[in-house]
């Protein structure tokens, strides 16, 4: 009878430890998925915005006093090899970061499950001919109970401005 109670107690402890390990593993996987979503969303968005700014001839950054959401408008070339002018607009639509080229359809830059909670642009003019744009954004992603927010900062210099 005593052996039966010891056996049941041992099985109960093993069951509790195993259940706890599974819960911790589930939370860790959820955290990694959220972090991966944030990183991928930021990388795609920053690379695309940086490309458009580098191709730009003129920048109209609108975030007075750092107020979010900011809007970035550019007079940009089609590509490095094609200098056809296009108007480019970057901003937040429905919580997602979007880009619109030449009045076309808006393209979502952040992936599913990634929202932009802060977006600000500043145009930086140097006394000489250089121009740059400073971008600040906060991305938020969630997966169940796991919610993460990350701040991203980058300054991009226009190609023809240095």
């Amino acid at each position: 009878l005593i052996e039966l109670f010891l056996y049941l107690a041992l099985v109960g402890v093993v069951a509790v430890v195993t259940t706890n390990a599974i819960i911790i593993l589930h939370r860790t996987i959820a955290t990694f998925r959220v972090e991966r979503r944030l990183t991928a969303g930021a990388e795609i968005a920053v690379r695309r915005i940086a490309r458009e700014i580098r191709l730009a001839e003129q920048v109209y950054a609108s975030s007075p006093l750092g107020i979010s959401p900011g809007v970035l408008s550019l007079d940009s070339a089609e590509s490095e090899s094609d200098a056809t002018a296009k108007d480019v607009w970057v901003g937040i639509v429905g919580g997602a970061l979007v880009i619109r080229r030449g009045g076309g359809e808006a393209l979502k830059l952040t992936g599913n499950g990634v929202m932009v909670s802060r977006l600000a642009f500043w145009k930086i003019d140097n006394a000489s001919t250089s121009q740059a744009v400073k971008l600040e954004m906060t991305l938020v992603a969630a997966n169940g109970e796991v919610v993460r927010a990350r701040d991203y900062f980058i300054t991009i210099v226009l190609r023809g401005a240095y």
Side-chain angles (χ1 to χ4, degrees), residues 111-140:
N112 292 333
V114 178
M115 304 296 282
V116 180
S117 65
R118 174 170 159 57
L119 180 67
F121 298 99
W122 285 275
K123 182 178 177 183
I124 302 170
D125 283 319
N126 192 343
S128 64
T129 60
S130 65
Q131 291 182 16
V133 175
K134 182 178 179 183
L135 161 67
E136 293 183 10
M137 74 176 166
T138 302
L139 298 181
V140 179

Side-chain angles (χ1 to χ4, degrees), residues 4-28:
L4 179 64
F5 286 128
L6 287 175
Y7 179 73
L8 288 175
L10 183 61
V11 168
V13 168
V14 169
V16 168
V17 168
T18 304
T19 303
N20 194 25
I22 291 171
I23 290 171
I24 290 171
L25 181 63
H26 177 68
R27 284 186 187 151
T28 303

